[in-house]
Amino acid sequence: MIGRKKKAYVREVDVDYFTDANLAVQLSVLEEDKVRGNDETEIGYGDVSVRAMATIFKKIRFETHENIGSGPIYLPEEELHTSSAWISLNKELSEFGHDRLEEGLIGTSQALKHIAPLFVMCDPSDVYVVPHVKAAHNEKPTIFFYDRYPGGIGLSEKIYSGIEEILKQTKQMVKNCQCSDGCPSCIGTDTASIHSKNDVVKLLDLFLKAAV
Ligand SMILES: [Zn+2]
């Protein structure tokens, strides 16, 4: 952009919402630094390459996390090399079909997105949570957490170490939520199924088997 100057005008506004973006994320594991787990689950940590493209922005109300508006975003794809922690399920989940598993993982990720930043004491936008029904590196249902800064800033490593506590607190939060089928304060509203909330609790239980 040499020789071209642009001005951005900023003004302070009083609003009761923040904006968040839905990202289409392609994530590949470059190097596995740590792996632990058992027959049921695998917990990993390492370097990843993330190619993310913002698809829509959402206006989210502060208190309730309701989605109060959205629209398309046109931004180039961003590529990031960073660190990531992930949890994968080792066993076939015959009771879930592909779509139900996908919805369950999306809801689980939304719930983890509320708790993980509290646990590592960062801003919710510093760490991103991405579900993959079949992760490229191990072909298993997986949820990735990655630092949204080049090279990583240590958040994923803390998540790797404390994942059991994060899963427990997340399960508690979802179960204690007053809603019956899932709402913006717990598992989000990106999942439409009436099974969603139960499925999220089931999946969290399965992931938690790593802790035993
Ligand atoms: Zn809820």
Side-chain angles (χ1 to χ4, degrees):
M1 296 285 265
I2 298 165
R4 282 178 64 195
K5 281 186 182 168
K6 280 188 178 173
K7 267 185 190 166
Y9 294 92
V10 180
R11 72 193 159 89
E12 196 178 342
V13 287
D14 188 17
V15 291
D16 65 346
Y17 64 85
F18 62 98
T19 54
D20 190 16
N22 272 13
L23 300 179
V25 174
Q26 276 183 296
L27 188 151
S28 37
V29 175
L30 304 174
E31 204 175 309
E32 274 182 313
D33 293 330
K34 301 178 192 178
V35 186
R36 62 189 168 93
N38 53 29
D39 286 355
E40 305 279 346
T41 50
E42 175 189 309
I43 307 169
Y45 168 78
D47 295 335
V48 295
S49 156
V50 178
R51 281 162 58 195
M53 194 155 72
T55 50
I56 58 168
F57 75 86
K58 296 184 288 190
K59 290 181 181 174
I60 316 279
R61 201 186 293 281
F62 279 122
E63 295 279 303
T64 59
H65 288 169
E66 262 172 286
N67 185 349
I68 51 170
S70 62
I73 307 179
Y74 304 101
L75 283 174
E77 189 177 72
E78 75 177 30
E79 189 166 357
L80 180 68
H81 281 201
T82 185
S83 44
S84 170
W86 60 87
I87 40 175
S88 303
L89 294 173
N90 288 337
K91 292 195 172 156
E92 279 294 317
L93 295 172
S94 44
E95 59 183 304
F96 290 84
H98 177 280
D99 291 353
R100 203 166 143 192
L101 178 60
E102 186 170 35
E103 287 200 340
L105 288 171
I106 291 170
T108 307
S109 302
Q110 285 295 329
L112 288 166
K113 219 172 153 181
H114 293 307
I115 301 296
L118 299 177
F119 188 82
V120 299
M121 290 190 288
C122 69
D123 192 84
S125 61
D126 292 342
V127 60
Y128 206 77
V129 188
V130 196
H132 279 192
V133 174
K134 201 173 179 182
H137 76 295
N138 64 12
E139 307 207 321
K140 292 169 187 168
T142 300
I143 292 176
F144 291 93
F145 304 79
Y146 69 85
D147 293 26
R148 291 181 77 183
Y149 296 93
I153 53 167
L155 303 173
S156 300
E157 197 162 12
K158 283 189 201 158
I159 291 171
Y160 171 84
S161 307
I163 191 69
E164 286 86 356
E165 197 49 43
I166 294 170
L167 290 165
K168 270 186 213 161
Q169 287 186 21
T170 304
K171 183 181 154 191
Q172 215 50 49
M173 180 272 286
V174 174
K175 283 183 85 170
N176 290 348
C177 190
Q178 303 285 314
C179 68
S180 53
D181 300 327
C183 74
S185 304
C186 60
I187 64 166
T189 48
D190 290 342
T191 56
S193 150
I194 50 156
H195 304 296
S196 299
K197 189 165 168 173
N198 278 339
D199 283 357
V200 166
V201 173
K202 265 189 216 165
L203 286 171
L204 285 166
D205 270 332
L206 289 172
F207 281 122
L208 261 169
K209 289 192 176 168
V212 183

